[in-house]
Amino acid sequence: MGKKALEGIRVIDFSWIGVGPITAMYLGHHGAQIVHIESNTRHDALRHNGPYKMKPDGTFDVGINKSGMFEDNNSNKIGVTLNMNTPQGIEIAKRLIAQGDVVIESFTPKAMRKWGISYNDIIKFKPDIVMISVPIYGQTGPMSMQLGHGVTTPAVSGVQYLTGWPDRPPAEIGIPYTDWIAPNFATTFVMAALDYRI
């Protein structure tokens, strides 16, 4: 079997739930080493979503390490827990970034700025870093600091207004569609940036 496209590339993945983790997973499928950073005090919210394995008594085996969706989105990653609210956690994160090629994050813009690891901060000690940020409402603008999820963006963007029947209220599309569409674009952007960097 030949060499994979991203062998030798290290991705530091600060993202959680959908778009970011799936993007990192795709990069891992193409040979990149993925280091997933998570807090031990504030878990990735996807850890608390199913599906869960059903036990013989008909109940579900629930726990922070039992979510099928979390395991799927993070199946090919090295897991590291850091307390990013301490100087030690931030220092370790910076050391990992310095040894990496790509950083992925999906928080509101204030998180990475608060920790001193926004793109403008990182390029001071790692000028050739490739970074992709996938906050739900972007880096700038009036909604950029608001939290959100893929299930809310169809309503905010107007997609729900376009679905359903003319004589009925807007219809939900039923899935967090951004989680399944955006990673394809994000992965392409990262690959293009890495190609340009060469």
Side-chain angles (χ1 to χ4, degrees), residues 88-124:
Q88 297 89 343
I90 292 170
E91 180 57 33
I92 293 169
K94 287 181 177 178
R95 283 166 42 200
L96 286 168
I97 292 167
Q99 297 172 23
D101 300 283
V102 177
V103 171
I104 299 176
E105 64 91 9
S106 61
F107 305 117
T108 60
K110 65 183 176 184
M112 299 300 270
R113 294 173 192 167
K114 172 184 157 188
W115 297 327
I117 51 174
S118 69
Y119 178 74
N120 289 334
D121 296 315
I122 292 172
I123 59 172
K124 292 173 184 172

Side-chain angles (χ1 to χ4, degrees), residues 108-198:
T108 60
K110 65 183 176 184
M112 299 300 270
R113 294 173 192 167
K114 172 184 157 188
W115 297 327
I117 51 174
S118 69
Y119 178 74
N120 289 334
D121 296 315
I122 292 172
I123 59 172
K124 292 173 184 172
F125 63 90
K126 180 69 176 173
D128 64 343
I129 199 71
V130 170
M131 184 169 181
I132 189 153
S133 297
V134 288
I136 198 79
Y137 296 123
Q139 289 287 332
T140 60
M143 294 181 67
S144 63
M145 294 300 175
Q146 293 188 35
L147 298 174
H149 297 282
V151 293
T152 61
T153 50
V156 173
S157 66
V159 168
Q160 288 184 351
Y161 183 77
L162 300 174
T163 58
W165 300 97
D167 59 336
R168 298 179 192 172
E172 293 184 29
I173 59 175
I175 60 167
Y177 82 105
T178 53
D179 290 348
W180 311 115
I181 295 173
N184 299 310
F185 295 108
T187 303
T188 303
F189 298 152
V190 170
M191 298 283 276
L194 287 170
D195 184 58
Y196 177 82
R197 191 180 73 167
I198 294 171

Side-chain angles (χ1 to χ4, degrees), residues 39-53:
S39 168
N40 199 31
T41 56
R42 189 174 180 184
H43 305 122
D44 185 331
L46 203 58
R47 286 184 177 274
H48 305 285
N49 289 341
Y52 298 107
K53 181 179 178 182

